[in-house]
Amino acid sequence: MTAKKISGVEIECVRGDIASQHGITAVVNAANAQLRMGGGVAGAIHRAAGPGLEEECRPLAPIKPGQAVITSGHNLPNRYVIHCLGPVYGVDKPEAELLANCYRNALRLAEEHGIDSIAFPAISTGAFGYPVEDAAEVACSAVLEAVPKLKSVKKIRFVLHSERDLMLYEKVLETKTV
Ligand code: AR6
């Protein structure tokens, strides 16, 4: 696990399942526009949260690429879920800007709700086809740019599904400065 502290905010990378992040107030969902179950991250989150999550999501859908909405966590070990729609690589453009907006908007919602800790998956890098190397750059830059302005958020965790993705994120995070 890599961790670094910037402006009083701890940023870390771990390998794991986004649906079992204990001790984290909000987890981020790599959602679909309709905020329905789906596969990957959205499947894991909805399965763990239970049907109440889809019900709460229904009136909030559809969302656009880069947008984020917040719900409660239902049966997840987290108080909130922040649902972000990442860009489909090669389709939704400009993709880097839209992906960065996911991280910016999720952190903005976290601040508005006084959330102290948040865990992000690698949005868009699964079904949506965003190359992980590029997505890691965008995600780390967007988060590091936002960090100096954060008041409530004290911990940001990137949760990666594979060892390879974890190593990539760790490398990018280590080399970046604010
Ligand atoms: N925990 C953490 N990371 C995971 C998990 C998990 N449980 N499962 C997969 N990943 P994806 P997207 C990784 O496809 O690309 C859905 O069907 C995965 O290896 O979940 O934004 C939705 O319904 C990949 O690196 O999200 C949408 O239609 C990353 O999480 C669409 O897919 C993101 O993969 C969203 O696609």
Side-chain angles (χ1 to χ4, degrees), residues 3 9 21 24 27 32 51 63 67-68 74-75 93 103 106 109 118 121 158 164:
V9 180
Q21 298 301 309
I24 294 284
V27 285
N32 49 66
I63 62 168
Q67 208 186 331
H74 297 263
N75 298 334
K93 297 193 182 209
Y103 291 88
L109 281 176
I118 181 167
F158 290 110
R164 179 182 168 268

Side-chain angles (χ1 to χ4, degrees), residues 21-57:
Q21 298 301 309
H22 296 266
I24 294 284
T25 306
V27 285
V28 173
N29 183 16
N32 49 66
Q34 296 305 323
L35 303 174
R36 304 294 293 271
M37 166 92 90
V41 166
I45 284 187
H46 277 277
R47 263 192 310 278
L53 181 60
E54 257 195 359
E55 231 165 82
E56 189 183 352
C57 281

Side-chain angles (χ1 to χ4, degrees), residues 16-19 30-33 36-45 84-87 121-130 132 159-162 165:
D17 176 7
I18 193 73
N32 49 66
R36 304 294 293 271
M37 166 92 90
V41 166
I45 284 187
C84 294
L85 178 62
I123 300 170
S124 281
T125 65
F128 285 177
Y130 212 115
V132 183
V159 180
L160 291 317
H161 210 41
S162 70
D165 292 354

